[in-house]
Amino acid sequence: MVYTCIPLLHCLELGISKEEALEVLQIVRREASGEESQRSVGLPSVRKYTALELLEQEHAQGSIITFCSALDEILGGGVPIGKIVEICGAPGVGKTQLSIQLVVDTQIPECFGGLDGESVYIDTEGSFIVDRVMDVAHAAVQHCHLIAEAGQDEVQLEAAQAFSVSSILSRIYYFRCHDYVELLAQSHLLADFLAEHPKVRIVVIDSIAFPFRHNLEDLSLRTRLLNGLAQQLIGMANDHGVAVVLTNQMTTRFGPVQSTLVPALGESWGHAATIRLILRWEGKLR
Amino acid sequence: MVFLREGICPGATAQLIQSLKEQNVVTLVHLVSADIEDLAQKCSISYKMLVAVRRVLLAQFSPFPSNGAVLYEELLGSTAILSTGNQKLDSLLDSGLYTGELTEFVGASGCGKTQVCLSLAVNISCELKQKVLYIDSTGGLTASRLLQLIQNQVDSIEGQSEALQRIEVVSVFEVYRLLDALQDLRMSFIRQVTGARNSIKAVVIDSVSAVLSSILGGHQLEGMSLMMQLARELKTMARELGVAVVVTNCVVQDPGGGVKPALGRSWSYVPNIRVLLQHRTEGADPHSVKRTATILKSSRRVCGQCQLYGNQKAHRPTRVSAEFDITSCGTLSNQTASSQHSTRERSDT
């Protein structure tokens, strides 16, 4: 196993010098990476970037707009690629609607400011209603047509022609998971799926709280599984350049005077998401 | 663990080693703890020869004792103190981060650990002009935020890009990859030409609980051993390579009330300095956030002062803490704006 790190101190066990141990490690690494590239399932070795290179990379990758300017502003331009965004809220506030909107927005052609990517939607609650997706897609298509006609740009007109409701629906990959075991299995398989479909730019899991909140009594097991899942998701987001969007439910925390609504799945889950959006009602407004 | 083999010292012939092996004396420890007379008889080797070999091996492999003065001189020469860029944090940490030591920042989510780490890295890169290795395991690092912090410290574009190039970023999301990254760092130190100026002076790992918490607990035992292996790697790296290691950790609920750092008691012995970051909203205004940093553990300064309350014999220790602010410049003060401000003042008067 290449990943077991052999401390150099142990080279004294074999009775060889430090330099020889270094050489052996290098040969093992080279061979292992050579083998793996032959098998074409190679895991990339640890890559080091300077912050400057990272900045250039970030500028090159776009972000996914939400069609709501206030939201886009607080997100800094939209949902960023390579990070995890968690959307929390009470029931009915619009988490699933927002995720459906994002899934459609990813597919907007680049000339209109989108990413022209495909989408993966992992549904654990069964709240993905195709009719609603069609409505959202229809609105997005109309919006793009209007922009193209107003601007009269050749490229935009062509892209608007290609952008239709059926093309949008055909590029959403839908997975249905019924419990947490299926969800974990799906996340393992997702890495291979993303490698096969390099155009995917967003992965939505709606919702991540539901399978972990019932039928799982052992809380420490839940925390471990969630932490492992979070690390896997962020690793995947980083390696394949996708944005990951999760929806979470709310739970009540009992305080000394009053109780407050906080995102579910516990304190340690708070560390998993890079960005956390909490949607709530303020009178009639969201 | 030193295995005896041919040529390990003059006089250790193949025959000697072979006959020792037959008597189950395979490592140096066995040789030293065995009865030499008994061994000489059984192996039919001369007593003098065995004693000589043992003496040479002991001289070769035992550590040299040194006295405190020598150690102090060595430390003075090799330790550097890296300022955090924030005066209050510096005074809390006894003037900054020491190379050769492991400093840990713990706190709940959203209390500012990543911002503190980013500010540290930017300060070391801009002010102290040293290289930093930033190991990100949560995805909380965005280069645009780094740029924003650097722009508040350095005016010129070349200066900014130079500062960005001094920060090296590695993204790892798994403990084996993390160990790989540390091993790479060690190898690069060994390979570099001695006396090279551009070497890494600080390693920031944000966060260590993200990679470790999923493998600890339950019925699996490898998690604990991996955690300890990581701890040993970090501490020996800090000492041998002369770098300051900064890690972040999250908190869990303390059954006695309040919070305590995650990863358990075994990890609590690893860092030299432990700082707890907390944030509270003052009053009704959600925008006024009060942030405090409290020393939980320090090998160098007094962490808490016991106070006697009235007639009660009970001591209630109060911890040393400092307040700090996280603005658009992180925890650093805005250098470019403050210098502009001072010139404007001078031109007015």
Side-chain angles (χ1 to χ4, degrees):
Chain A
M1 226 332 179
V2 179
Y3 291 103
T4 48
C5 166
I6 312 168
L8 287 178
L9 297 168
H10 286 183
C11 69
L12 290 172
E13 271 185 54
L14 304 165
I16 52 176
S17 67
K18 222 181 201 181
E19 288 80 28
E20 285 170 322
L22 268 174
E23 268 189 55
V24 169
L25 277 175
Q26 272 190 342
I27 294 173
V28 168
R29 267 222 184 102
R30 237 183 291 137
E31 271 193 335
S33 54
E35 266 179 4
E36 280 169 344
S37 61
Q38 277 168 23
R39 265 186 275 142
S40 77
V41 191
L43 294 152
S45 57
V46 178
R47 280 178 299 211
K48 231 191 322 193
Y49 299 106
T50 60
L52 193 62
E53 289 165 18
L54 207 62
L55 187 67
E56 284 159 20
Q57 238 181 27
E58 272 179 27
H59 280 191
Q61 288 170 340
S63 44
I64 305 169
I65 54 172
T66 58
F67 270 131
C68 166
S69 47
L71 262 182
D72 280 338
E73 225 180 276
I74 38 174
L75 286 172
V79 171
I81 298 282
K83 310 279 178 212
I84 300 186
V85 173
E86 189 185 347
I87 307 175
C88 317
V93 74
K95 309 184 289 291
T96 306
Q97 299 306 311
L98 187 56
S99 15
I100 292 178
Q101 183 72 58
L102 285 169
V103 149
V104 170
D105 286 347
T106 321
Q107 306 196 13
I108 295 176
E110 276 177 37
C111 48
F112 293 111
L115 288 178
D116 199 20
E118 300 175 346
S119 329
V120 168
Y121 194 98
I122 302 179
D123 188 10
T124 56
E125 283 177 338
S127 48
F128 187 82
I129 301 174
V130 190
D131 292 330
R132 181 65 186 145
V133 181
M134 273 180 65
D135 287 341
V136 174
H138 196 67
V141 165
Q142 279 208 320
H143 188 87
C144 291
H145 275 260
L146 281 173
I147 297 179
E149 271 155 40
Q152 288 295 324
D153 186 8
E154 279 293 323
V155 180
Q156 282 191 342
L157 283 168
E158 260 186 60
Q161 293 295 329
F163 191 59
S164 66
V165 175
S166 52
S167 79
I168 296 178
L169 289 177
S170 66
R171 296 200 300 174
I172 303 180
Y173 299 107
Y174 175 79
F175 297 94
R176 176 82 169 98
C177 297
H178 294 92
D179 58 17
Y180 73 92
V181 177
E182 282 186 33
L183 182 60
L184 290 170
Q186 187 57 50
S187 64
H188 281 286
L189 296 173
L190 205 55
D192 290 331
F193 183 83
L194 290 177
E196 284 163 30
H197 297 89
K199 289 201 81 182
V200 174
R201 284 283 159 267
I202 188 170
V203 173
V204 174
I205 303 186
D206 178 25
S207 71
I208 198 153
F210 180 70
F212 283 100
R213 284 185 89 187
H214 67 100
N215 283 348
L216 194 53
E217 276 88 29
D218 188 359
L219 279 180
S220 62
L221 175 67
R222 187 180 88 170
T223 319
R224 279 202 307 281
L225 289 176
L226 280 172
N227 286 335
L229 183 61
Q231 288 304 107
Q232 232 179 347
L233 288 174
I234 186 77
M236 224 163 47
N238 214 23
D239 287 337
H240 296 105
V242 296
V244 177
V245 176
L246 312 170
T247 50
N248 195 1
Q249 297 165 347
M250 299 294 262
T251 182
T252 325
R253 182 191 286 169
F254 296 103
V257 178
Q258 59 185 23
S259 43
T260 48
L261 275 181
V262 295
L265 297 179
E267 271 291 322
S268 52
W269 178 248
H271 299 269
T274 323
I275 303 179
R276 203 175 224 191
L277 276 178
I278 300 187
L279 307 175
R280 55 192 169 81
W281 293 98
E282 207 149 298
K284 284 227 151 193
L285 288 173
R286 287 186 173 88
Chain B
M1 279 272 270
V2 182
F3 283 89
L4 298 170
R5 60 180 173 90
E6 179 187 343
I8 199 172
C9 74
T13 57
Q15 197 191 7
L16 178 79
I17 302 294
Q18 189 57 38
S19 40
L20 282 176
K21 223 186 256 190
E22 278 161 22
Q23 295 302 320
N24 271 339
V25 174
V26 182
T27 67
L28 181 58
V29 179
H30 293 153
L31 180 60
V32 166
S33 46
D35 186 8
I36 294 290
E37 274 185 35
D38 197 34
L39 207 56
Q41 274 176 3
K42 284 198 196 144
C43 300
S44 64
I45 310 172
S46 78
Y47 178 74
K48 267 195 207 165
M49 172 67 110
L50 268 179
V51 167
V53 165
R54 192 173 76 160
R55 199 181 305 138
V56 170
L57 283 176
L58 274 177
Q60 203 175 333
F61 287 102
S62 46
F64 280 117
S66 57
N67 61 33
V70 170
L71 206 62
Y72 183 61
E73 290 297 326
E74 208 185 285
L75 269 178
L76 276 184
S78 62
T79 313
I81 306 182
L82 306 169
S83 159
T84 59
N86 181 306
Q87 274 179 338
K88 297 185 182 155
L89 277 180
D90 271 349
S91 64
L92 196 69
L93 293 171
D94 194 18
S95 73
L97 300 167
Y98 280 59
T99 57
E101 282 190 2
L102 215 158
T103 312
E104 186 186 33
F105 289 100
V106 303
S109 63
C111 69
K113 307 186 289 293
T114 306
Q115 296 304 312
V116 168
C117 288
L118 290 176
S119 309
L120 285 180
V122 163
N123 192 57
I124 295 173
S125 166
C126 293
E127 292 297 306
L128 308 174
K129 308 248 188 299
Q130 298 291 334
K131 278 183 154 193
V132 183
L133 175 67
Y134 197 105
I135 302 182
D136 181 28
S137 69
T138 54
L141 171 81
T142 36
S144 29
R145 174 65 175 150
L146 272 179
L147 180 65
Q148 194 187 23
L149 292 173
I150 290 176
Q151 276 171 342
N152 285 323
Q153 304 296 314
V154 177
D155 265 336
S156 67
I157 300 283
E158 303 88 49
Q160 285 167 12
S161 69
E162 264 178 31
L164 276 174
Q165 281 180 321
R166 279 192 286 261
I167 304 179
E168 292 181 5
V169 177
V170 181
S171 298
V172 293
F173 303 106
E174 222 205 352
V175 67
Y176 291 111
R177 297 280 189 97
L178 177 56
L179 290 170
D180 256 354
L182 295 174
Q183 186 72 354
D184 276 345
L185 175 66
R186 201 182 257 278
M187 296 245 243
S188 71
F189 260 86
I190 293 173
R191 262 192 248 121
Q192 75 183 10
V193 178
T194 48
R197 286 179 304 118
N198 299 327
S199 57
I200 291 175
K201 269 278 164 252
V203 176
V204 180
I205 305 183
D206 178 25
S207 73
V208 93
S209 54
V211 289
L212 286 178
S213 52
S214 53
I215 50 172
L216 290 175
H219 296 293
Q220 35 186 1
L221 303 166
E222 306 91 35
M224 194 67 101
S225 78
L226 278 169
M227 183 171 83
M228 289 291 110
Q229 192 178 345
L230 179 66
R232 187 178 62 169
E233 184 67 33
L234 287 174
K235 295 202 79 148
T236 50
M237 199 174 70
R239 179 63 61 187
E240 284 174 18
L241 308 182
V243 295
V245 180
V246 178
V247 299
T248 57
N249 194 359
C250 50
V251 289
V252 290
Q253 292 295 106
D254 195 359
V259 291
K260 61 175 184 183
L263 297 179
R265 208 183 269 268
S266 315
W267 183 261
S268 68
Y269 299 118
V270 174
N272 299 91
I273 315 249
R274 250 192 170 173
V275 180
L276 173 69
L277 301 173
Q278 286 169 310
H279 72 299
R280 275 191 309 275
T281 45
E282 288 283 286
D285 184 12
H287 291 293
S288 71
V289 180
K290 190 169 141 191
R291 297 188 190 271
T292 48
T294 314
I295 295 262
L296 291 178
K297 173 187 171 185
S298 171
S299 53
R300 252 177 290 109
R301 55 174 301 182
V302 172
C303 302
Q305 294 141 347
C306 287
Q307 288 176 356
L308 278 169
Y309 281 80
N311 296 334
Q312 295 166 358
K313 294 268 172 72
H315 296 251
R316 216 171 300 171
T318 52
R319 289 220 152 97
V320 178
S321 62
E323 275 181 32
F324 66 105
D325 229 353
I326 296 184
T327 60
S328 64
C329 321
T331 55
L332 312 169
S333 52
N334 195 335
Q335 300 281 34
T336 51
S338 58
S339 61
Q340 280 172 16
H341 191 67
S342 59
T343 51
R344 219 180 301 132
E345 273 180 355
R346 260 184 263 134
S347 64
D348 282 345
T349 56

